[in-house]
Amino acid sequence: MKRVRFVAIQVVCLFVVVFTVLLGYNSLFAGSWERWKPILLHPHSPPAENEGSRQAADAISPVTPPPPTNSVEKKLGDPRLYEVAPVYVASIMDPDYTVIPRLECPTLHEPRYGYLRATISSTPSSNLRYFFGLDLRQSFKVLPRLLGSIVEAVRFLGPSSCALSIVEGNSDDGTFEVLDLLQPELEKLGLKYIFRHTDVDSKEGERITKLAALRNMALEPLHSKSLHADKDTTVVFLNDVAVCSEDILELVHQRVLQSADMTCAMDWVYVGNDPTFYDVWVARTLKGNTFFDIPPDGNWNSAWNLFWNDSESKRRYQEMLPFQVYACWNGAAVFGAAPVLGLPPPNKEASHTVDSRRISFRSARQGECHVGEPTLFCKDMWWAGFGKIAVVPTVNLEYSDEAAKKIKDLKGYTSKWTESESKDSLRIEWASEPPENVKCMPGWENQSWRPWNETLEE
Ligand SMILES: *[C@@H]1O[C@H](CO)[C@@H](O)[C@H](O)[C@H]1NC(C)=O
Ligand SMILES: *[C@@H]1O[C@H](CO)[C@@H](O)[C@H](O)[C@H]1NC(C)=O
Ligand SMILES: *[C@@H]1O[C@H](CO)[C@@H](O)[C@H](O)[C@H]1NC(C)=O
């Protein structure tokens, strides 16, 4: 039986890969910034033929990202989509609004997360406690769940201590119109909402450079004096995932509880009947390895065998306990604003941040392994002394409401686990050093081990 299933999965995977390569990224993986990964066999190769690669020699230099502000454009929405948008706005603002079906989420567990609330402060200039950042493109369907959960978390945490920064790019499905119409509603709530559109298209030209520029654009308001971000500000950066508010708060909570610098979820994709860990191109264990083994032919047959060569990560993962990694993103990441603002880590001698260097998203330098911008972000975090990076396996995400329901049913909602959590082995024993070598995988066919610190020396 097992054998039959195994072969079936193989066939499905092969089919998907071939199908995807034939059709280009658009058909299967549209709607997500990150969904290119499983089929990104040749990150250096030009974009799919059907994507107007004539224009690839565009305004964006492949090496240096443009100053983000230059890329913020005015956009006129589509009047027809503005007609549909109010229902979505209503659904985002009201958790009980059921006209649009979405993933059902448990109510927030007050005793667990209450301490995260910003203390009431009457001074309007008090510090920013929580900063939510998102890049969204063609994410219309997931907006009620994704933004509804953010609004719920913001209401819980205290709207006046929160800011929400969304960068929208090239959507024609109503994403822009909904996000635009949200402005007055979120202002009424008392939330600072920075919504911008950009024409930067991650599907053309140097993907990683573009994706990095887009993420930096979402983070940019952190540097604005008027927001009052400081070392105590928590950044919540979300992909276009169907997330519950408890997922968000659990990542924030674990960062506090574990004194972590960064916490990530686990994200999944349904390629066949069984879910597969998704962010395998980006994430690396504390041993520097991928979360599952991918042979040079790029097949995902070992996707079921997570942490196959790392018994400690495997044990903690199976016990649903947070564990330290070298790099992660996994659909949702929570980190402090300090590295982004160029501030040193807490209770530590400023190591490599003595020059107040700000960490931002970037693509690989000359001579550096060509990996995704979140991996390089984590690498720079380690370098600056922020290496307490952990995955929280109780938080499991997918990219659509339907599949998120499946993954929640399979893995359990976050609160299912936190209700029965055992305090004993919860704490991570942090390693202070990154792995000496990290698996470099620009493409599946070309994997090698490289020193973690290559090109860092100055
Ligand atoms: C598994 O890990 C051990 C020790 O970390 C290492 O020597 C070995 O090469 C690894 N095997 C694979 C297949 O990565
Ligand atoms: C594989 O990677 C090595 C070093 O990382 C590089 O020199 C080589 O050109 C790459 N080969 C291919 C086929 O991409
Ligand atoms: C990386 O770290 C090793 C060991 O600490 C050190 O010997 C080497 O010089 C470093 N390389 C760079 C490029 O910083």
Side-chain angles (χ1 to χ4, degrees), residues 440 442 445-446 448 450:
C440 170
E445 79 288 0
N446 195 9
S448 59
R450 306 265 282 265

Side-chain angles (χ1 to χ4, degrees), residues 287 289 308-309 449:
K287 290 194 187 303
N289 220 334
W308 83 105
N309 198 19
W449 287 89

Side-chain angles (χ1 to χ4, degrees), residues 348-369:
K348 258 186 228 160
E349 302 277 309
S351 54
H352 298 285
T353 42
V354 278
D355 60 348
S356 294
R357 185 170 47 202
R358 291 169 173 179
I359 291 178
S360 61
F361 293 95
R362 62 177 180 87
S363 53
R365 302 190 184 101
Q366 192 117 48
E368 191 175 29
C369 174

